[in-house]
Amino acid sequence: MLINRKSPVPIYQQLANGFIKLIREGILKPGYPLPASRTFARLMMINRSTVIATYEELRFQDWVDTIPKKGVFISKQLPILIPVKFENSTEINSYTKKSFPGYFLKFALKGPLPSPTKAYNLIINDGYPDSRIAPLSALINQYKSLMGKPYMDSFFMKGQNGGAKNLRGELASFISKTRAMDIDEENVLVTRGAQSAIYIAARMLLSAGGKVIVADPNYNFANAIFEQFGATLLRVKVDGQGIDVDEIEKICKTGHPDLLYIIPHHHHPTTVTLNAERRIKLLNIIHNYHLPVIEDDYDYDFHYNNRPILPLASADQTGCVIYIGSITKTLTPTIRSGYLIAGKEFILHASRLKEIMELRGDVLMESSLASLYGTGEMEKHINKSVKLYKTRRDIFCDLLTTKLGDMLHFSKPLGGMAIWTTFNDKYSLASISKKIARDGIYMNDGSLYNSQGIEGNSLRLGFASMNESEMHVFIQALRRFK
Amino acid sequence: MLINRKSPVPIYQQLANGFIKLIREGILKPGYPLPASRTFARLMMINRSTVIATYEELRFQDWVDTIPKKGVFISKQLPILIPVKFENSTEINSYTKKSFPGYFLKFALKGPLPSPTKAYNLIINDGYPDSRIAPLSALINQYKSLMGKPYMDSFFMKGQNGGAKNLRGELASFISKTRAMDIDEENVLVTRGAQSAIYIAARMLLSAGGKVIVADPNYNFANAIFEQFGATLLRVKVDGQGIDVDEIEKICKTGHPDLLYIIPHHHHPTTVTLNAERRIKLLNIIHNYHLPVIEDDYDYDFHYNNRPILPLASADQTGCVIYIGSITKTLTPTIRSGYLIAGKEFILHASRLKEIMELRGDVLMESSLASLYGTGEMEKHINKSVKLYKTRRDIFCDLLTTKLGDMLHFSKPLGGMAIWTTFNDKYSLASISKKIARDGIYMNDGSLYNSQGIEGNSLRLGFASMNESEMHVFIQALRRFK
């Protein structure tokens, strides 16, 4: 038996495991005496108390019996085992050396396994808010005060799994007010961000072999959800006016789609907004074919030139449109919260699914978020953000045009937090991304937006989270590649 | 057009929606002029600025064109629509009155829909820790200080979706030390509590038509996961020594199971621990049949009479055992955190699945939890809890025996946070639960533990979260039914 003094596993447990292994392999048989603790301690050059702890562990686990004045014996109650040759292994079981047999896996990554990443000084994200301006102190103070309350009360109760009651209520009135929908708290499911709302909605509407109409290009993480449910993607081109709705109608006529996933407001990745003509057509298609729709409206509140366009869900009369929004995109990427709006019964079923998936959400954080809405702090924050991000968009677009105009092109977006930027052919994103990392700057190599094996030379440059000096650092770093 | 002044939807939006509806229905056709704003304002008895806002909204949404000096006209760019008769609805779209067409649903609740619950003074949970003794201040302070940091750095990066790096590291050394497993951070996936770890593991291992061996009775929320994946449950009886492993072997010989879900330590709901003889047999079965296993060890750290029994995962040599634990059960039900331990490749695939489901976890909370482990505060807390809960178990069991001995029976558990209690036939749990609610006390009616349509008269009484005076309130309330 070997002892590894560097292992985090205590020595008495290493020894106990060693004994257990010998017993299990049939080498130490029932009735065999263990060596006297004093002797064994000297043989192994360890403290006698360690040996005693080992034997106690074995006794407690029923591997050995202690017979007073006689000693410690391998238990006779053990089944007489046919010795089984276990594969050679270290004395203690080493998970780091075991791997789960891959042929059992029903889910597996596609493509190369991700490699660990280094730390960066500046990260160009693909459209996130600036945490630095969010009312996080107010949020955390509320969280802390709720945490001090002794009983979490109804949080444990059945029927509460749609999310904290007060947040559902606040969201219902916020959404009614800003998006012209007449909803109440029973139409709201609180989720772990928009992503988990899409997952839940897709689970409700898809089974293996299902068909989903998606834009091309599309938000790749939504495609990944549909594909892992075994669904087929029916891709429909997106141009400067949004998705091609005539093509959607064609598919509806013959293809029996189960679902349409659409981002009509600021499409991801290209940021275009579906124009009015296509909107009407689409509403008619939804009505005529009773087409189930997931409307992902993740950054509705961030529109700069005019008022945002009302969601499809606010005009739809069929109940087929499941509406999804994000609180994460409003506050900070680290607080994962979002919502799903639908008819009452849909929400009840979806709540039950959410309960099965994770029992309940972070009810304290949800309640704390509710108070941000309730005090009006959230609205103030949104107004402040819209002003700031509008300025940042303008500055960033100016910088891109004046300093890098010959490297790349883009259309200035009407809203959102990112610029869909295409680099000219002679500037390879893959190579720039690699080189700029050496300056401590992370910029995606475009692979986040590639689809169907086609490599693009475009990416979303998130401007909302960057202050002016960070923008200059980034632009300067890019200029070096000219 | 009707205006609802009590609606949370602003009047200008109500009007805009009214116009849009008329346009969509073909009643207002392309080219038609809108009434002059002053006239319309008087007709509707509203402020002229509201009408102007309405027209602006319509213009921005491309429904109308403004022709200078002539007025506002329905846009000619709209498609000439065949008028579609929408169902009668209020002027603004009312989600509360729409419901999603049920025949599209691929997932639906079984049984009756949950009804809203009232507030209680005392909630008898089924085995949760006492939040009041948890080091939550330290946790929140850490959380707050992390939140203040400007850039979340590597949190956005690919390859970090297994959970916050520091928590994965801390858990690896904590688990190695306490459970005799030799693992490192790459063997750890951080999840939203044990429930979501079971969900993820099941997703990795099951597809529709799969077969899962489960204990009978079993943790019903695990069964619900397997069933919603379309799997069949193969139920194996649990007695006072744990699950019947001979029966498991029989199934392996002929039934081609895809998975065994087992709670060997403190079985849920009955709290029994699998004895040593059956453990060895089971390890051999896993080895011989390469049987994939989810080992749910949700309250390993809370064992009172002796040291806890080492997990199957610590002795298994095949890599087939996926080990799951809970941080929620250690700290407080409101912080949903848990982990899944497995071979490195399994963790990579599972991390990708988690990313698809929710992009990332609560990285700030995860990092804050890491510092509780790092400073030794978590270990201190566990030691303190074990002492306190042991005392509470003893007091509560004494109270049950001396005050309610003729109403119910139970076996004192060796660990965990709940007593599996069976009420004698003449005391119906369903009726007691209903009546005791009038005293402001929630006690489950046993339905949480029923399986296969069999109604039991047993439930788990969580003692760990109750102080002595709460226990007395509960016992007194129950005594009234004698």
Side-chain angles (χ1 to χ4, degrees):
Chain A
M1 244 176 293
L2 295 172
I3 293 172
N4 175 2
R5 288 180 193 272
K6 282 184 189 155
S7 164
V9 179
I11 290 171
Y12 81 91
Q13 280 196 341
Q14 294 188 34
L15 288 174
N17 279 10
F19 275 111
I20 291 167
K21 186 158 174 281
L22 293 175
I23 298 169
R24 208 181 309 112
E25 290 178 358
I27 293 165
L28 293 179
K29 290 191 201 307
Y32 277 28
L34 296 194
S37 56
R38 199 179 308 265
T39 322
F40 190 59
R42 290 196 180 161
L43 281 172
M44 301 295 289
M45 292 188 294
I46 52 176
N47 204 300
R48 190 183 162 207
S49 62
T50 307
V51 180
I52 291 170
T54 304
Y55 289 3
E56 263 178 19
E57 181 72 30
L58 291 170
R59 190 179 58 76
F60 174 65
Q61 288 192 34
D62 290 344
W63 295 98
V64 301
D65 294 322
T66 307
I67 304 177
K69 302 200 179 159
K70 288 204 161 176
V72 182
F73 298 85
I74 309 293
S75 170
K76 290 200 174 156
Q77 298 302 315
L78 298 178
I80 311 277
L81 289 171
I82 303 151
V84 176
K85 194 74 200 136
F86 282 85
E87 49 197 316
N88 277 342
S89 63
T90 51
E91 284 305 296
I92 69 154
N93 162 51
S94 172
Y95 238 118
T96 47
K97 286 171 195 120
K98 286 189 298 192
S99 68
F100 187 89
Y103 45 87
F104 286 126
L105 294 185
K106 302 296 186 301
F107 173 90
L109 273 170
K110 282 194 261 178
L113 299 179
S115 49
T117 44
K118 51 173 268 183
Y120 292 93
N121 303 322
L122 179 61
I123 288 173
I124 311 302
N125 60 53
D126 78 339
Y128 272 108
D130 191 338
S131 310
R132 293 170 289 196
I133 66 159
L136 300 179
S137 289
L139 184 70
I140 293 306
N141 290 339
Q142 183 64 18
Y143 188 87
K144 199 168 171 176
S145 91
L146 286 175
M147 189 161 254
K149 297 205 176 160
Y151 263 80
M152 293 314 143
D153 207 69
S154 56
F155 293 156
F156 294 116
M157 304 285 90
K158 279 260 180 197
Q160 294 297 318
N161 35 28
K165 196 176 153 61
N166 49 358
L167 183 55
R168 294 173 75 188
E170 292 291 349
L171 283 174
S173 64
F174 176 76
I175 290 162
S176 294
K177 197 172 124 192
T178 54
R179 283 141 171 91
M181 294 190 227
D182 180 13
I183 59 170
D184 65 29
E185 66 180 63
E186 292 183 318
N187 297 106
V188 181
L189 174 75
V190 180
T191 65
R192 307 272 193 191
Q195 184 75 17
S196 89
I198 304 169
Y199 183 93
I200 289 172
R203 173 66 186 86
M204 303 288 295
L205 297 170
L206 284 179
S207 46
K211 288 184 242 171
V212 190
I213 305 174
V214 296
D216 183 20
N218 192 31
Y219 174 50
N220 270 344
F221 280 101
N223 285 355
I225 289 176
F226 308 136
E227 288 185 311
Q228 66 83 34
F229 281 123
T232 305
L233 305 183
L234 309 175
R235 298 174 201 263
V236 174
K237 278 281 167 220
V238 170
D239 59 25
Q241 308 301 310
I243 199 167
D244 180 347
V245 291
D246 292 328
E247 188 58 31
I248 293 178
E249 183 155 32
K250 253 187 236 164
I251 294 176
C252 286
K253 273 185 186 148
T254 53
H256 305 294
D258 296 282
L259 180 63
L260 163 67
Y261 170 81
I262 189 167
I263 313 167
H265 199 206
H266 306 130
H267 181 65
H268 193 294
T270 65
T271 77
V272 297
T273 291
L274 193 65
N275 76 9
E277 184 184 334
R278 294 190 186 180
R279 252 160 216 272
I280 304 171
K281 275 198 189 170
L282 184 55
L283 282 165
N284 278 310
I285 293 168
I286 294 167
H287 177 266
N288 292 340
Y289 297 91
H290 271 73
L291 176 65
V293 176
I294 295 177
E295 179 177 25
D296 183 352
D297 203 10
Y298 62 100
D299 60 5
Y300 173 87
D301 297 301
F302 299 92
H303 204 79
Y304 308 129
N305 290 28
N306 309 74
R307 263 186 291 276
I309 310 260
L310 287 177
L312 295 174
S314 79
D316 161 65
Q317 303 291 331
T318 64
C320 285
V321 180
I322 311 296
Y323 182 76
I324 284 172
S326 170
I327 299 175
T328 298
K329 285 278 183 183
T330 306
L331 272 186
T332 165
T334 54
I335 291 178
R336 300 285 311 149
S337 193
Y339 48 83
L340 185 159
I341 310 294
K344 231 163 160 170
E345 294 229 341
F346 188 96
I347 295 296
L348 279 171
H349 292 297
S351 307
R352 171 64 178 159
L353 175 62
K354 183 168 171 268
E355 185 182 36
I356 288 173
M357 287 170 61
E358 57 166 30
L359 287 189
R360 62 186 155 274
D362 185 343
V363 279
L364 287 193
M365 183 50 82
E366 289 170 14
S367 290
S368 310
L369 287 168
S371 78
L372 279 195
Y373 284 97
T375 58
E377 199 123 18
M378 189 63 105
E379 212 175 321
K380 248 169 54 193
H381 167 65
I382 290 173
N383 292 338
K384 187 170 85 177
S385 304
V386 167
K387 265 182 216 145
L388 179 67
Y389 298 164
K390 184 181 179 186
T391 311
R392 286 184 176 174
R393 177 199 61 170
D394 294 341
I395 295 172
F396 193 62
C397 286
D398 279 352
L399 284 172
L400 287 181
T401 309
T402 55
K403 308 273 185 180
L404 303 170
D406 41 357
M407 276 180 87
L408 47 82
H409 54 279
F410 63 92
S411 299
K412 191 169 176 174
L414 298 174
M417 304 179 189
I419 316 280
W420 177 242
T421 312
T422 302
F423 280 67
N424 301 338
D425 283 347
K426 65 181 268 211
Y427 301 99
S428 147
L429 257 182
S431 125
I432 292 178
S433 165
K434 210 174 282 172
K435 286 180 194 152
I436 207 171
R438 289 184 214 137
D439 301 336
I441 298 175
Y442 171 81
M443 179 178 78
N444 188 267
D445 58 3
S447 59
L448 254 182
Y449 314 97
N450 294 343
S451 68
Q452 308 174 78
I454 300 163
E455 283 181 36
N457 210 30
S458 306
L459 88 168
R460 284 165 66 97
L461 297 176
F463 58 80
S465 58
M466 274 193 279
N467 61 30
E468 236 178 295
S469 77
E470 286 158 345
M471 288 179 191
H472 282 287
V473 169
F474 175 55
I475 298 285
Q476 274 313 110
L478 275 184
R479 274 169 73 86
R480 252 173 282 152
F481 299 105
K482 292 221 292 191
Chain B
M1 245 177 294
L2 294 173
I3 293 172
N4 176 3
R5 288 181 191 272
K6 283 185 187 153
S7 163
V9 179
I11 289 171
Y12 82 88
Q13 279 196 343
Q14 294 186 36
L15 287 175
N17 279 11
F19 276 111
I20 291 168
K21 188 161 171 282
L22 293 174
I23 299 169
R24 209 182 307 112
E25 290 177 358
I27 293 166
L28 293 180
K29 292 193 199 307
Y32 278 27
L34 295 195
S37 55
R38 199 181 307 266
T39 322
F40 191 58
R42 291 194 180 163
L43 281 173
M44 301 296 289
M45 291 190 293
I46 51 177
N47 204 302
R48 189 180 163 210
S49 64
T50 307
V51 180
I52 291 170
T54 304
Y55 289 2
E56 263 179 18
E57 180 74 29
L58 290 170
R59 192 180 57 76
F60 176 64
Q61 289 192 34
D62 290 342
W63 296 97
V64 299
D65 294 322
T66 306
I67 304 178
K69 303 199 178 160
K70 289 205 161 175
V72 182
F73 298 83
I74 309 292
S75 171
K76 292 204 172 151
Q77 298 304 312
L78 298 179
I80 311 276
L81 287 172
I82 303 149
V84 176
K85 193 76 202 136
F86 282 85
E87 50 197 315
N88 278 341
S89 62
T90 51
E91 284 303 297
I92 70 155
N93 162 50
S94 172
Y95 238 116
T96 48
K97 285 167 197 124
K98 285 187 300 191
S99 67
F100 188 88
Y103 44 86
F104 286 127
L105 294 185
K106 301 298 186 299
F107 172 88
L109 271 170
K110 280 195 262 181
L113 300 180
S115 48
T117 45
K118 49 173 269 178
Y120 293 93
N121 304 320
L122 180 61
I123 287 172
I124 311 302
N125 60 52
D126 81 337
Y128 272 108
D130 191 340
S131 309
R132 294 170 288 196
I133 65 161
L136 300 179
S137 289
L139 185 68
I140 294 306
N141 290 339
Q142 183 64 19
Y143 188 87
K144 200 169 170 174
S145 90
L146 285 176
M147 188 161 254
K149 298 204 174 161
Y151 263 80
M152 292 312 142
D153 208 70
S154 57
F155 294 156
F156 295 114
M157 303 287 91
K158 279 263 180 194
Q160 293 298 315
N161 36 26
K165 197 176 152 63
N166 50 356
L167 183 56
R168 295 173 76 188
E170 291 291 347
L171 283 173
S173 64
F174 176 77
I175 290 162
S176 294
K177 196 172 125 192
T178 56
R179 284 139 169 92
M181 294 190 228
D182 180 12
I183 59 172
D184 65 29
E185 66 180 63
E186 292 184 318
N187 299 105
V188 181
L189 174 75
V190 180
T191 65
R192 306 273 192 189
Q195 185 74 20
S196 88
I198 304 169
Y199 183 92
I200 289 171
R203 173 66 187 87
M204 304 288 296
L205 297 170
L206 284 179
S207 46
K211 288 185 241 174
V212 190
I213 306 175
V214 296
D216 182 20
N218 192 30
Y219 174 51
N220 271 345
F221 279 102
N223 286 355
I225 289 175
F226 308 137
E227 287 184 314
Q228 67 84 33
F229 280 123
T232 304
L233 304 183
L234 309 174
R235 297 174 201 265
V236 173
K237 278 281 166 218
V238 169
D239 60 25
Q241 307 302 309
I243 200 167
D244 180 347
V245 291
D246 292 329
E247 189 58 31
I248 293 176
E249 183 155 32
K250 253 187 236 163
I251 294 175
C252 287
K253 273 185 185 147
T254 54
H256 306 293
D258 295 282
L259 180 63
L260 164 67
Y261 170 79
I262 189 168
I263 314 166
H265 199 207
H266 306 129
H267 181 65
H268 194 293
T270 65
T271 77
V272 297
T273 291
L274 192 67
N275 75 10
E277 186 184 333
R278 294 190 187 180
R279 253 160 215 273
I280 302 169
K281 274 198 190 171
L282 183 55
L283 282 165
N284 278 310
I285 293 168
I286 295 166
H287 178 267
N288 293 339
Y289 296 92
H290 272 73
L291 176 64
V293 177
I294 295 177
E295 179 176 26
D296 183 353
D297 203 8
Y298 63 99
D299 60 5
Y300 173 88
D301 297 300
F302 299 92
H303 204 78
Y304 308 129
N305 290 28
N306 310 76
R307 260 187 293 275
I309 310 261
L310 286 176
L312 295 173
S314 78
D316 160 65
Q317 303 291 330
T318 65
C320 285
V321 180
I322 310 296
Y323 181 77
I324 284 171
S326 170
I327 298 174
T328 298
K329 286 278 184 185
T330 306
L331 271 186
T332 166
T334 53
I335 292 178
R336 302 282 313 146
S337 192
Y339 48 84
L340 185 158
I341 310 293
K344 232 162 157 168
E345 294 228 341
F346 188 96
I347 295 296
L348 279 171
H349 291 297
S351 308
R352 170 66 178 160
L353 175 61
K354 185 170 171 265
E355 186 182 36
I356 289 174
M357 287 171 62
E358 58 165 31
L359 287 191
R360 61 187 156 272
D362 184 344
V363 279
L364 286 193
M365 182 52 80
E366 290 170 12
S367 289
S368 310
L369 287 168
S371 78
L372 279 195
Y373 284 97
T375 58
E377 200 124 13
M378 189 62 106
E379 210 174 324
K380 250 168 53 192
H381 167 66
I382 291 174
N383 292 337
K384 187 170 85 176
S385 305
V386 166
K387 266 183 212 142
L388 179 67
Y389 297 164
K390 183 182 181 186
T391 311
R392 287 183 175 175
R393 176 199 62 172
D394 293 342
I395 294 171
F396 193 63
C397 286
D398 278 355
L399 283 171
L400 288 180
T401 308
T402 56
K403 307 274 184 181
L404 303 170
D406 40 358
M407 277 180 84
L408 47 79
H409 54 279
F410 63 92
S411 297
K412 190 169 176 172
L414 298 174
M417 302 181 191
I419 317 280
W420 177 242
T421 312
T422 302
F423 280 66
N424 300 338
D425 283 347
K426 64 181 270 212
Y427 301 98
S428 148
L429 255 182
S431 127
I432 293 178
S433 164
K434 210 174 281 172
K435 286 178 193 153
I436 208 171
R438 290 183 213 137
D439 301 335
I441 298 176
Y442 171 81
M443 178 178 78
N444 188 266
D445 59 3
S447 59
L448 254 182
Y449 313 98
N450 295 342
S451 69
Q452 307 174 78
I454 299 164
E455 285 182 34
N457 210 30
S458 306
L459 87 169
R460 285 165 67 95
L461 297 175
F463 58 80
S465 58
M466 276 192 276
N467 62 29
E468 239 179 290
S469 76
E470 287 159 344
M471 288 179 190
H472 282 288
V473 169
F474 176 55
I475 298 282
Q476 273 314 109
L478 274 185
R479 271 168 73 88
R480 252 174 280 153
F481 299 105
K482 290 222 295 190

